Amino acid sequence: MSHQLHRGSILHFPRSTLNPGEHYQYWEDGVLVVSQGKIEFLGAATEFFAAQPDAAQLPIEQHQGLIIPGLIDSHVHYPQVEIIASYGKQLLDWLNTYTFPAERQFANAAYASAQAVFFLKQLFAHGTTTASVFATVHPQSVNSFFEAAERYNARMICGKILMDRHCPDFLQDTPEQGYRDSKQLIEQWHKQGRALYAITPRFAPTSSEAQLAKAGQLASEHPDTFIQTHLSENTNEVQWINELFPDHSDYLAVYEAHGLVRERALFGHGIHLTDREYIGLAQAGATISFCPSSNLFLGSGLFNYQRALAEGVSVALASDVGGGTSLSMFANQADAYKVCQLQQTSLSPFESLYLCTQGAAQSMGLADKVGNLNVGTEADFVVLNLNATPMLSQRVQHSRNLSDTLFALTTLGDDRLIAKTYIAGQQVYQQGQYDVATDI
Ligand code: GUN
Ligand code: ZN
């Protein structure tokens, strides 16, 4: 199969922009041509068939719904899928009660592999094709994840958690062992196929200064890797940081002291930031992962998206499952909108979709590969079913324009919205069927 032709309505953001509501491309009748896993043509059907009259003879896949780029989840924990929706705790108690016991099981590589496959199938069923993923402290949890992602040829970021204190003994590494294991994983996986490695200190409370220094050493030895961690999620956590690191002026300064704040460094949450921390993040070109469903569910607080934007901090949307309550980047857009409403600020559906497509890719330095449907990029895309539910269908019929339709999709959408998911041109999911990819 050399060329695949897809025809339907198509929407994407081709460039980096501060105004996604003006800088999108939309074709009601569009064509997307895929060749060898990459996008070879994108444009109006009339333009395509005028230039290639013979193409009318080729097999063409006609999609009823809306084609968009594969969604990007900039912060998610694959070992926590099994504890999604765990009751009654805020961050620090939630970690001790639910998270650490769940992560213990990933010492078993067979368990980790089964969970990695389950997680990836769920991601695809929710329309997500790229994610920045926390594994556990166990190196085999990363091997299991990347092996599964490789079988689907999915562009995924993942890293081994570093933590050497303030957590159960059975989840601790040491600065030296964590460094060696991470380095070995970087050498084995980073930029192998579509895999990308993220240096992953869990968060400053569970790493000694010695371990953070080793993480910084890794970051300087492997400058093109990602960094992922947590920052200023919960007020008790911030208070704890002040006690643990009295010599640092604020939370971000702890990471800065070890060279961990730079481009492709993704900080989950960033809710309770000082003025200086916004500036530090912006100047370094680092990114905040806005995790609205998690921030609400764990009672962590309201991320100030408009403030981050005004300060020039790059922001990408994230589910943060299992703190978050849905892998759907549509459900998370809906929560993001409500978080902004509670702060009397706005978030248009174009902006929120941008934050989990082109905007996220831009933040991650991946916009030449994913996050849009530009010619030459990797053919990861999703077909949305605008008739996914009777309620959605009726609402869409009453839409006045594209913005209206998009807002209905983001507000009402979840995994039922996803009709088909394609990775590098290969279909990996069809509504309700989790095993479409035949090679797994
Ligand atoms: N802070 C440190 N670890 C975690 C985690 O696993 N989830 C969330 N939401 N916050 C964290
Ligand atoms: Zn997290």
Side-chain angles (χ1 to χ4, degrees), residues 77 80 91 94-95 99 202-203 230 233 269 294 298 320:
H77 300 252
Q80 295 177 14
L91 177 65
W94 176 82
L95 286 172
T99 311
R202 174 172 220 121
F203 68 155
H230 297 85
E233 175 177 3
H269 309 282
S294 170
L298 293 178
D320 191 35

Side-chain angles (χ1 to χ4, degrees), residues 74-96:
S74 69
H75 179 123
V76 59
H77 300 252
Y78 97 83
Q80 295 177 14
V81 164
E82 64 192 67
I83 56 145
I84 191 170
S86 290
Y87 177 76
K89 305 284 180 197
Q90 296 214 348
L91 177 65
L92 301 176
D93 290 334
W94 176 82
L95 286 172
N96 286 317

